[in-house]
Amino acid sequence: MDLLAVHQTSVRIRDECCDLLNHEWPRSRALRMRTIDSSRDSLPAVFALVAQGGDGVVLGTLKMSPIPSDPKAVWIESVVVHPGCRGKGVGKYLMLTAEKKAREEMGYEKAYLSTFDQQIFYSKLGYSFCAPICSYGGNIALKGNLAEGIRRQGQDNSAPKTDKTNHVQPKPTPPFPDSGAVPPAPPPPPPPPLAPPPPPTPAGPLPSSSNSGSPSEDISLQCAKVFSRPSLPSQPPRLEKMPRRLSPSRDIVKTNKDSICRAVLSKDFMCKRL
């Protein structure tokens, strides 16, 4: 098994990564390929774990991006393993191989990620819960332009401003004509405000999200029990039978975002020192 950057491989490898990602998280193929085609040496980069060199099937994929607030840390996301080889150590080998590449070839010292439902898996790889961190995988060239814009805005806000309101003379009210005309009557007072409606009857406590970086007590205890820092094995996991490539022509059932209760989604941030 080899971990290859997709921008240095063939079109077939990129297509298989797209099929693998859409199998897990259905999305427009054009948008998915736009992300994959933006992979480059300086990050963000998409990697593929390929069996038997560059001629085999893609067993897994992930993406690594820089973190603007911490140049010594890398952000790992979109980690997917082929459904035909899950539970056989492929995901572990994929993560440890990517961490080694980030540490030895790119000079990163820490790795961050976020997950909704794989906290235990990442705890077995040495990740622990941490506070949320801002990251993005877009065009890093925008970073300098954004910083320059923020700097200029700060200079504009710090410049002294002249209060022009003190120099505005009130417009004199023209006197009523001498013809004895009666001024118009003042408008009637506004009606009294309506009483607020009674509060609705609560149907029960809503589950809270842990996007603030504070995982639930149950998941924290489970992760603490299985926490470990494994080393990269000298040999990749052996697969008795190689999985077949996922069919790109299959029907993809898109998720209706309106039917998702986002309050029950628990997104936890985790980090590891490489």
Side-chain angles (χ1 to χ4, degrees):
M1 299 180 186
D2 298 322
L3 186 67
L4 308 175
V6 297
H7 58 275
Q8 300 175 355
T9 60
S10 62
V11 176
R12 179 186 66 85
I13 297 296
R14 295 196 293 271
D15 288 340
E16 288 194 34
C17 289
C18 181
D19 299 334
L20 188 56
L21 288 165
N22 274 347
H23 182 275
E24 189 72 17
W25 302 297
R27 189 184 181 187
S28 166
R29 186 174 185 86
L31 293 176
R32 186 71 72 185
M33 288 303 301
R34 183 183 303 175
T35 302
I36 295 175
D37 291 338
S38 65
S39 176
R40 59 181 185 271
D41 292 336
S42 58
L43 300 190
V46 179
F47 295 89
L49 185 64
V50 183
Q52 301 175 359
D55 299 327
V57 66
V58 174
L59 304 178
T61 181
L62 55 78
K63 179 182 177 182
M64 289 194 291
S65 303
I67 299 178
S69 60
D70 191 348
K72 290 296 184 179
V74 64
W75 178 261
I76 300 179
E77 60 182 325
S78 302
V79 183
V80 187
V81 175
H82 194 292
C85 56
R86 294 180 181 177
K88 301 178 182 179
V90 176
K92 174 182 176 181
Y93 189 82
L94 169 65
M95 286 293 299
L96 294 179
T97 305
E99 292 170 5
K100 179 181 179 181
K101 179 180 290 291
R103 179 181 66 252
E104 297 183 356
E105 300 181 14
M106 305 178 188
Y108 289 109
E109 300 176 358
K110 291 183 294 184
Y112 287 87
L113 54 84
S114 64
T115 180
F116 289 103
D117 56 355
Q118 296 296 326
Q119 294 89 340
I120 295 180
F121 168 74
Y122 291 116
S123 295
K124 293 180 180 180
L125 297 176
Y127 286 83
S128 56
F129 295 105
C130 66
I133 187 170
C134 180
S135 64
Y136 61 87
N139 189 353
I140 305 304
L142 294 175
K143 179 181 177 182
N145 297 333
L146 291 174
E148 179 65 17
I150 294 174
R151 185 185 65 81
R152 291 182 178 179
Q153 183 179 5
Q155 291 179 352
D156 296 340
N157 294 336
S158 60
K161 298 182 180 179
T162 304
D163 188 4
K164 300 181 180 180
T165 58
N166 296 333
H167 303 282
V168 177
Q169 298 295 333
K171 186 177 180 181
T173 304
F176 292 105
D178 298 336
S179 60
V182 180
L194 299 177
T201 304
L206 292 176
S208 60
S209 171
S210 61
N211 291 346
S212 61
S214 301
S216 63
E217 183 177 357
D218 292 341
I219 194 67
S220 298
L221 294 176
Q222 297 179 36
C223 292
K225 293 180 180 179
V226 300
F227 179 84
S228 62
R229 288 186 58 90
S231 57
L232 179 65
S234 57
Q235 297 294 331
R238 298 183 59 182
L239 301 177
E240 297 180 0
K241 183 179 180 181
M242 286 295 171
R244 296 182 178 179
R245 175 183 174 180
L246 297 177
S247 175
S249 60
R250 68 179 186 87
D251 296 330
I252 297 178
V253 180
K254 294 186 177 180
T255 304
N256 183 10
K257 296 182 179 180
D258 296 334
S259 63
I260 300 177
C261 180
R262 301 186 183 278
V264 302
L265 297 179
S266 176
K267 181 179 180 180
D268 293 318
F269 289 78
M270 308 183 77
C271 67
K272 175 183 179 180
R273 184 166 295 277
L274 302 179

